[in-house]
């Protein structure tokens, strides 16, 4: 289940893939996974940030990431695919390590990562507001857009793992402290992948409704 890409066909269809975008390490890992394992060039990638009603989403992140120039993205003796994966890893690593410095529009910066890593993929950014539960706002917006895959960064804990395996049909949506990723995984109509990065080069731990704690090499 590690790779969310469809099998090869003569006329592959375009999909809408939503990545939940936040200025966090978990969101950076979700974006890295999406670009390297889920998105195909005919797909549309939608970066969605959810904020509280009335809050500003232009958080302070200048140097949020260091972007490699497109002219220097390849090196002699390396394949284009290997160079692209290296650029993704380096860029997302910079993004995660520089959170909280200066000012900047992190959604636009994350969009630029996508354009460098997957130049043929259509990318759009959206910022939506919520009045109640974040997970509910995401599900509603995903249904509205007709997305086929939701990818969200996940901070795994013992308690969230137990809740994920014990929760009966998502009845705890209104309860305080419910993990957004866990709720989306269990209740999304489309495929939802929770992503946790295992160190710099340790790959990912992935969770879906039918597969739990699957380790995928980077």
């Amino acid at each position: 289940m590690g790779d969310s890409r469809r099998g090869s066909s003569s006329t592959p269809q375009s999909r809408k893939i939503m990545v939940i975008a936040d200025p966090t390490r978990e969101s950076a890992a979700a974006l890295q996974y999406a670009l390297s394992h889920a998105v195909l060039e005919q797909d549309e990638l939608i970066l969605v940030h959810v904020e509280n009603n009335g809050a500003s989403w232009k958080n302070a992140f200048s140097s949020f990431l260091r972007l490699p120039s497109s002219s220097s993205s390849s090196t002699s003796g390396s394949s284009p695919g290997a160079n692209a994966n290296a650029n993704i890893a380096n860029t997302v690593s910079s993004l995660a390590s520089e959170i909280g410095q200066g000012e900047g529009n992190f959604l636009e910066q994350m969009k630029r990562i996508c354009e460098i890593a997957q130049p043929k993929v259509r990318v759009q950014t959206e910022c939506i507001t919520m009045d109640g539960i974040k997970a509910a706002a995401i599900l509603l917006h995903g249904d509205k857009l007709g997305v086929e895959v939701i990818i969200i960064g996940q901070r795994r804990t013992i308690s969230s793992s137990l809740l994920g395996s014990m929760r009966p049909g998502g009845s705890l949506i209104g309860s305080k402290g419910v993990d957004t990723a866990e709720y989306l995984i269990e209740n999304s109509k489309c495929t939802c992948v929770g992503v946790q990065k295992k160190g710099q080069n340790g790959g990912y731990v992935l969770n879906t409704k039918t597969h739990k704690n699957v380790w995928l090499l980077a």
Side-chain angles (χ1 to χ4, degrees):
M1 63 137 292
D3 200 316
S4 297
R5 293 165 171 158
R6 288 176 174 168
S8 60
S9 63
S10 56
T11 56
Q13 295 182 345
S14 172
R15 300 172 300 166
K16 289 185 177 180
I17 299 177
M18 176 191 291
V19 174
I20 308 307
D22 294 298
T24 63
R25 289 169 174 80
E26 289 77 24
S27 186
L31 182 63
Q32 183 178 355
Y33 165 77
L35 292 172
S36 59
H37 291 86
V39 177
L40 296 172
E41 64 180 30
Q42 71 271 8
D43 292 334
E44 179 179 357
L45 184 60
I46 307 169
L47 308 179
V48 175
H49 176 65
V50 183
E51 65 179 17
N52 289 320
N53 194 14
S56 173
W57 63 280
K58 293 185 177 180
N59 300 287
F61 304 112
S62 170
S63 305
F64 185 62
L65 48 90
R66 294 188 183 95
L67 292 169
S69 64
S70 57
S71 61
S72 61
S73 62
S74 61
T75 56
S76 59
S78 300
S79 67
N83 288 326
N85 287 336
N87 284 337
I88 296 170
N90 291 335
T91 303
V92 174
S93 177
S94 295
L95 179 154
S97 66
E98 297 181 13
I99 288 175
Q101 302 180 21
E103 288 195 7
N105 183 324
F106 73 88
L107 268 180
E108 289 303 316
Q109 292 170 325
M110 293 176 84
K111 180 180 179 181
R112 193 176 168 205
I113 293 175
C114 300
E115 292 170 344
I116 290 172
Q118 294 274 15
K120 294 184 179 180
V121 172
R122 292 171 295 163
V123 182
Q124 63 172 302
T125 62
E126 297 191 15
C127 183
I128 63 175
T129 58
M130 66 174 186
D131 293 314
I133 303 299
K134 180 177 181 178
I138 292 172
L139 289 180
L140 183 63
H141 197 64
D143 289 344
K144 177 181 177 182
L145 295 177
V147 300
E148 296 181 66
V149 181
I150 297 175
I151 300 175
I152 183 170
Q154 189 172 26
R155 181 180 296 151
R156 297 294 292 173
T157 63
I158 293 176
S159 59
S160 67
S161 297
L162 290 174
L163 279 173
S165 61
M166 295 170 60
R167 184 175 301 133
S171 59
L172 298 179
I173 183 171
S175 301
K176 184 177 180 180
V178 170
D179 182 79
T180 298
E182 291 285 352
Y183 185 83
L184 291 176
I185 290 169
E186 296 300 321
N187 294 277
S188 176
K189 295 178 182 177
C190 65
T191 299
C192 180
V193 183
V195 180
Q196 179 191 21
K197 192 77 166 65
K198 296 293 288 183
Q200 183 62 30
N201 298 307
Y204 309 90
V205 172
L206 307 177
N207 286 277
T208 68
K209 192 170 185 177
T210 56
H211 298 81
K212 305 297 181 182
N213 298 319
V214 176
W215 184 34
L216 174 68
L217 292 175

